[in-house]
Amino acid sequence: MNNNDIFKKLRVALQLRDDQIIEILNLVNFRVSKGELGNIFRSEDHPNYMECGDQLLRNFLNGLVIYLRGTKEDPKNPREVLDQIAKNKTSISKDAKKPETKKPFQPKSTTNKKPFGQGKPSTKKQKPESPVERFKFNSGKNKK
């Protein structure tokens, strides 16, 4: 069992989301991005898999102690913290997750542009251009 397995099991057991893990790590002034966390929680055969180092796991455990117990100056009851997390998860119903009704899509207005085909016809004769005329061949020589 390696550090990644321990970290995954703690995340599942405590029902922590990635943003909560980042918040816990910030309590001990350890910065990590969501992408790096995602790489740690990937399977070992994934190309972006990243090994969880001892320093990351140590800082997470120290931050978890502060998150659950609080500091000496401001102690917390761990059971209350865990109950509050569980209560917040159950209070979100599927109806609350639905986004509000969206406004219909309206493209940005353009300034004084007429729709195609509604302007004055061009008096200028356009000579049909051959695609061969646009092609430039340099015969493999670089121009300086």
Side-chain angles (χ1 to χ4, degrees):
M1 182 177 256
N2 59 14
N3 288 346
N4 292 57
D5 296 333
I6 294 169
F7 205 3
K8 287 177 191 176
K9 290 182 182 293
L10 284 171
R11 183 180 93 172
V12 171
L14 297 172
Q15 301 174 351
L16 297 172
R17 296 186 315 265
D18 286 347
D19 56 337
Q20 290 173 322
I21 293 172
I22 291 172
E23 178 185 329
I24 290 170
L25 288 168
N26 284 337
L27 291 174
V28 290
N29 296 324
F30 191 82
R31 309 281 182 245
V32 67
S33 69
K34 271 191 173 185
E36 290 173 323
L37 275 181
N39 291 342
I40 290 169
F41 295 128
R42 293 184 191 278
S43 64
E44 290 183 23
D45 58 342
H46 194 277
N48 291 340
Y49 171 78
M50 191 170 83
E51 194 71 33
C52 177
D54 294 335
Q55 184 181 12
L56 176 63
L57 188 61
R58 175 176 44 87
N59 281 308
F60 174 72
L61 292 173
N62 289 335
L64 189 62
V65 168
I66 295 171
Y67 182 73
L68 294 176
R69 293 186 194 166
T71 60
K72 287 183 180 181
E73 297 82 28
D74 185 26
K76 297 180 188 176
N77 184 354
R79 178 54 54 194
E80 291 174 3
V81 174
L82 291 173
D83 290 342
Q84 183 180 7
I85 292 171
K87 186 174 90 173
N88 288 341
K89 288 189 183 282
T90 57
S91 66
I92 299 175
S93 64
K94 290 183 179 180
D95 297 333
K97 289 184 181 179
K98 289 184 180 178
E100 297 177 13
T101 55
K102 294 182 179 180
K103 296 179 185 177
F105 174 75
Q106 293 182 355
K108 294 180 180 177
S109 61
T110 57
T111 57
N112 299 332
K113 287 190 177 181
K114 296 180 182 177
F116 180 75
Q118 294 183 3
K120 291 183 180 180
S122 175
T123 56
K124 183 179 174 184
K125 282 192 172 182
Q126 294 181 349
K127 180 180 168 186
E129 186 180 351
S130 171
V132 176
E133 292 174 0
R134 288 185 277 156
F135 183 74
K136 295 180 181 179
F137 184 72
N138 65 3
S139 67
K141 296 179 181 177
N142 293 332
K143 292 183 179 179
K144 292 183 179 179

